[in-house]
Amino acid sequence: PGMEQTSPLDWISLRITLGRHYHIHVVATYRPYYEWLVSAKVHQSKWKRNKPALNAWGKSLLPILDPTSPRGIPFLFTDDIVQRVRENFPNTTHVMNLQQTPLGRTKHNGNSSDTGSVRTKFVCNILTNAPNACQLSRQLDSESTEVRANAGRDATVAEAYYDILVTSAAQEGLFNTKGLQRRGVALQAQQYHLQKQKENELPRDLPLKCPSSSQTQSLWKETRKREESSLSSMVPIEQDQNAFGNYIQQRKLCVVDAGRALEQDLWKSFFASLNRKPRRP
């Protein structure tokens, strides 16, 4: 869809209003399709009280990722949108890849940088007339290592894994869901797992189910295809392929294998205990 269908912004009015007082730079950040796809699914599975699908007993909201069908979620950020913005903010619209070298990089006063933190790439490659900020950012890069962490995402992934586990157990009839809240049971399962880890009775990680080689290749091809159609400047294929390989090695495309987990006696015991009535003293 065109910009007029995906955004309510009146870009001409915005340009005129802001242009009276500011020098405007528009920065569109880019993430590879395989990473964005997983992030979107994780966001969808984040528990909230007003999400009926995550409060009623049923299937887990976070399905097993099937890279062979990557069109399940539309890829909204296309070159069409960036181009429409560029029509209203010519020469000051930039596409920056948060994971790798910024795309469509241009030199500003000889301060451009192919390496460094996201901050350095921003102040050196995108901002104009900021040599002091560029120099300071490079100095800070040499003194410390950039840390990219998203504890919120990791916590949401963990919650989704235990949600998959408890909903699968319910579907197999390992316990009666009557009178039990789905999120409450998932949190109990997580606490139970942590306790059994401390007692060395359960491994640290739940068993995972990962995509096959053919599935990951399908996702890789889909990612490159979308980049070719959406980005005016491609990430070098070697650099892009290395990043994808690291993503696979970190098992970020995997989900919990509930079937294998539920074969373990300790998990069977846990779910069986949910329906035991407390004994009277």
Side-chain angles (χ1 to χ4, degrees):
M3 175 62 86
E4 68 280 355
Q5 295 175 298
T6 58
S7 174
L9 283 177
D10 182 343
W11 290 97
I12 296 177
S13 297
L14 182 65
R15 180 191 65 199
I16 295 174
T17 301
L18 296 179
R20 294 170 181 169
H21 308 286
Y22 304 98
H23 296 292
I24 303 170
H25 284 266
V26 180
V27 181
T29 57
Y30 165 77
R31 298 174 70 186
Y33 178 69
Y34 58 83
E35 182 180 311
W36 180 87
L37 181 65
V38 174
S39 179
K41 286 183 176 290
V42 169
H43 178 75
Q44 285 186 339
S45 67
K46 186 175 180 61
W47 182 85
K48 291 183 180 179
R49 293 185 182 276
N50 62 349
K51 279 187 176 181
L54 277 180
N55 288 278
W57 285 101
K59 292 184 177 180
S60 172
L61 186 62
L62 183 68
I64 295 175
L65 177 63
D66 183 3
T68 61
S69 302
R71 296 177 180 82
I73 300 177
F75 193 60
L76 301 177
F77 306 102
T78 66
D79 208 34
D80 175 65
I81 295 177
V82 175
Q83 185 59 39
R84 197 63 63 91
V85 177
R86 280 180 174 148
E87 292 174 2
N88 293 281
F89 299 97
N91 304 319
T92 58
T93 298
H94 317 268
V95 179
M96 187 170 79
N97 188 334
L98 292 179
Q99 303 299 325
Q100 300 155 328
T101 303
L103 303 174
R105 179 176 60 84
T106 57
K107 292 185 177 180
H108 296 307
N109 300 324
N111 296 321
S112 62
S113 176
D114 281 324
T115 60
S117 64
V118 172
R119 177 194 60 240
T120 295
K121 293 173 182 177
F122 178 75
V123 297
C124 295
N125 298 348
I126 292 177
L127 291 185
T128 58
N129 302 317
N132 293 336
C134 177
Q135 183 178 359
L136 176 59
S137 186
R138 286 173 171 167
Q139 179 181 340
L140 293 174
D141 284 351
S142 66
E143 296 173 355
S144 61
T145 302
E146 181 181 39
V147 177
R148 300 181 186 181
N150 190 340
R153 178 194 181 280
D154 293 340
T156 302
V157 169
E159 289 181 6
Y161 280 4
Y162 289 103
D163 183 72
I164 292 174
L165 184 65
V166 300
T167 52
S168 297
Q171 290 170 5
E172 291 191 17
L174 297 183
F175 68 101
N176 189 342
T177 60
K178 185 177 180 180
L180 297 175
Q181 293 184 343
R182 174 171 165 173
R183 176 166 171 79
V185 175
L187 292 176
Q188 287 184 56
Q190 188 171 11
Q191 291 301 316
Y192 175 80
H193 190 192
L194 290 173
Q195 181 60 39
K196 292 303 178 183
Q197 286 178 38
K198 294 178 181 178
E199 298 171 358
N200 294 320
E201 295 187 50
L202 280 174
R204 177 179 178 275
D205 297 320
L206 291 167
L208 297 179
K209 182 183 296 185
C210 301
S212 65
S213 176
S214 61
Q215 288 176 317
T216 56
Q217 284 302 310
S218 176
L219 185 57
W220 161 250
K221 291 179 182 178
E222 185 70 23
T223 297
R224 291 298 293 187
K225 176 182 176 181
R226 289 173 183 271
E227 288 182 357
E228 289 172 359
S229 62
S230 302
L231 299 174
S232 56
S233 178
M234 292 282 289
V235 175
I237 189 169
E238 297 82 4
Q239 185 180 4
D240 207 8
Q241 204 160 20
N242 288 338
F244 181 69
N246 291 335
Y247 203 78
I248 297 298
Q249 290 181 0
Q250 294 171 19
R251 303 193 298 179
K252 292 186 177 181
L253 293 176
C254 306
V255 296
V256 64
D257 189 337
R260 286 172 54 200
L262 295 177
E263 292 174 354
Q264 300 173 353
D265 291 336
L266 282 172
W267 280 116
K268 291 179 181 179
S269 176
F270 165 76
F271 288 113
S273 70
L274 295 176
N275 296 133
R276 293 177 190 154
K277 295 182 180 180
R279 296 179 181 178
R280 294 181 179 179

